[in-house]
Amino acid sequence: QVQLIESGGGLVQSGGSLRLSCAASGRISRSYVGWFRQAPGKEREFVARIGWTFGSTSYAGSVEGRFTISRDFAKNTVFLQMNSLKPEDTAVYYCNNAPALSRLGNHDTTWGQGTQVTVSS
């Protein structure tokens, strides 16, 4: 079973940038990888996703144009480049792997432990 390890979170000022990484211990193939986030007192929400094989991407409206998701086959890693960060982007960011797009974000799929992103105003 694939294990996911996120890294790259931290504290940044408004307007700054961070790059999150999601490293997979096992093989990711014919599946999807997504980034989700959860702010205090709020439900977990979708941020971005990428199809591992063909690289198709999709973004939440709140991050489109500011965030970019990508993957590196050699490193078996998915990245989330976050630019023009805003205080409302503050959350714990989670990486998720699912065998089908319809299952992305389901609790019974593979999740990482999360990485904290804090954007100060």
Side-chain angles (χ1 to χ4, degrees):
Q1 184 177 350
V2 173
Q3 290 185 326
L4 305 174
I5 300 176
E6 301 101 331
S7 61
L11 174 64
V12 64
Q13 288 188 334
S14 181
S17 298
L18 284 173
R19 189 176 81 154
L20 305 183
S21 298
C22 172
S25 62
R27 183 183 178 190
I28 300 177
S29 63
R30 300 177 184 177
S31 65
Y32 292 84
V33 178
W35 285 97
F36 292 76
R37 66 187 183 187
Q38 188 167 19
K42 296 187 177 181
E43 294 187 353
R44 189 173 297 186
E45 64 175 2
F46 167 77
V47 175
R49 56 95 169 157
I50 187 166
W52 184 255
T53 302
F54 298 109
S56 59
T57 60
S58 180
Y59 298 90
S62 59
V63 307
E64 184 122 36
R66 300 188 297 123
F67 290 11
T68 303
I69 189 170
S70 62
R71 80 239 192 271
D72 185 318
F73 287 120
K75 295 181 179 179
N76 218 30
T77 298
V78 172
F79 301 99
L80 184 69
Q81 178 67 44
M82 306 186 296
N83 298 328
S84 302
L85 283 162
K86 305 175 182 179
E88 50 262 44
D89 294 318
T90 295
V92 178
Y93 283 70
Y94 297 91
C95 182
N96 173 239
N97 177 230
L101 184 57
S102 60
R103 294 186 61 196
L104 197 64
N106 285 8
H107 291 292
D108 62 348
T109 54
T110 302
W111 291 86
Q113 81 289 350
T115 185
Q116 176 70 48
V117 172
T118 303
V119 185
S120 63
S121 57

